[in-house]
Amino acid sequence: MVQNFKTWGISILALVALLAACSSPQKTVTTIVQIPNTGPTQAAPSATPVVTETAQAATLTPGGASAKLTGTQAPAAPACSTPAALTPAVTEGPFFKAGSPERSSLLDSGVTGQKLVLTGYVLTADCKPVAHALVDFWQANAQGQYDNAGYSLRGHQFTDANGRYQLETIVPGLYPGRTEHIHVKVQAPNGPVLTTQLFFPGVQDNSQDGIFNQALLVQVLSSDSSSMQAAYNFVVR
Ligand code: FE
């Protein structure tokens, strides 16, 4: 008797399962696509010590540095939300020289110091990358001296079709009255010239420098005693 009930039970369950399989609509198989993380920037793991500038890294405000990193290299795409704040202008200072050579590396022989690779985008306030924007850099050497006779540590370049630039240089040295900074002029095609300076987070002299501006801090992606990778996006008219 008990055996009969068991057999009936199994048969009924099998029938119900068969009916359910036949009557239910065919399920669509959905491939789950991983959405790239566009949240706060995370520096890729690195074998070298990583300097994390927490305040800057967590604040991806346009005008500050921002990046979606694909490695220790440059941001693959700008993180930007409209309306983006324009990059502040600051004083040109006394050491600008027109006519700098077109080049993306300022690492001439004889230039020593902590190597810096600075990358980023030139964007409009509505977050559109600006292709062929002029980006003209000049800076002091590791001893805090400008080359006013020649063009050492001076050079201009143009953003690529995606609005991106990359500069190879060194972290500038200090000179009296100033914190570490790199001068730069940025100009979209047919746009006005933005003259400004970039600063480095965690430098003690930042707080003593009247020109220093928090919105002009680069984002340090990685750093050790010999090299640094950093990013900054310019937002221009
Ligand atoms: Fe200067």
Side-chain angles (χ1 to χ4, degrees), residues 41-46 48 66-77 115-121 164-168 219-223 227-233:
T41 301
Q42 296 294 326
S46 167
T48 55
S66 56
K68 184 176 70 177
L69 302 180
T70 55
T72 53
Q73 281 302 312
K115 186 182 170 187
L116 168 66
V117 178
L118 177 69
T119 55
Y121 291 82
R164 188 168 173 270
Y165 73 90
Q166 175 164 312
L167 175 71
E168 280 191 345
Q219 181 187 18
V220 176
L221 308 178
S222 68
S223 179
S227 65
M228 175 188 290
Q229 300 220 13
Y232 191 86
N233 293 340

Side-chain angles (χ1 to χ4, degrees), residues 91-95 138-140 146 175 178-179 181-183 197 211:
T91 182
E92 179 180 279
F95 301 120
W138 73 103
Q139 66 171 90
Y146 286 86
Y175 60 90
R178 294 303 317 278
T179 189
H181 64 281
I182 294 178
H183 295 267
Q197 302 179 21
I211 300 170

Side-chain angles (χ1 to χ4, degrees), residues 3-21:
Q3 186 61 39
N4 281 346
F5 274 122
K6 276 189 181 171
T7 307
W8 266 101
I10 291 168
S11 300
I12 289 168
L13 283 174
L15 186 61
V16 168
L18 183 64
L19 285 171

Side-chain angles (χ1 to χ4, degrees), residues 66-122:
S66 56
K68 184 176 70 177
L69 302 180
T70 55
T72 53
Q73 281 302 312
C80 183
S81 56
T82 58
L86 294 172
T87 300
V90 299
T91 182
E92 179 180 279
F95 301 120
F96 174 70
K97 273 181 73 175
S100 71
E102 181 177 349
R103 54 182 178 168
S104 60
S105 176
L106 308 184
L107 298 176
D108 296 327
S109 63
V111 171
T112 58
Q114 185 184 15
K115 186 182 170 187
L116 168 66
V117 178
L118 177 69
T119 55
Y121 291 82
V122 176

Side-chain angles (χ1 to χ4, degrees), residues 29-80:
V29 175
T30 305
T31 304
I32 297 172
V33 178
Q34 290 286 343
I35 306 297
N37 177 20
T38 54
T41 301
Q42 296 294 326
S46 167
T48 55
V50 173
V51 175
T52 305
E53 300 300 333
T54 49
Q56 183 67 11
T59 309
L60 294 182
T61 49
S66 56
K68 184 176 70 177
L69 302 180
T70 55
T72 53
Q73 281 302 312
C80 183

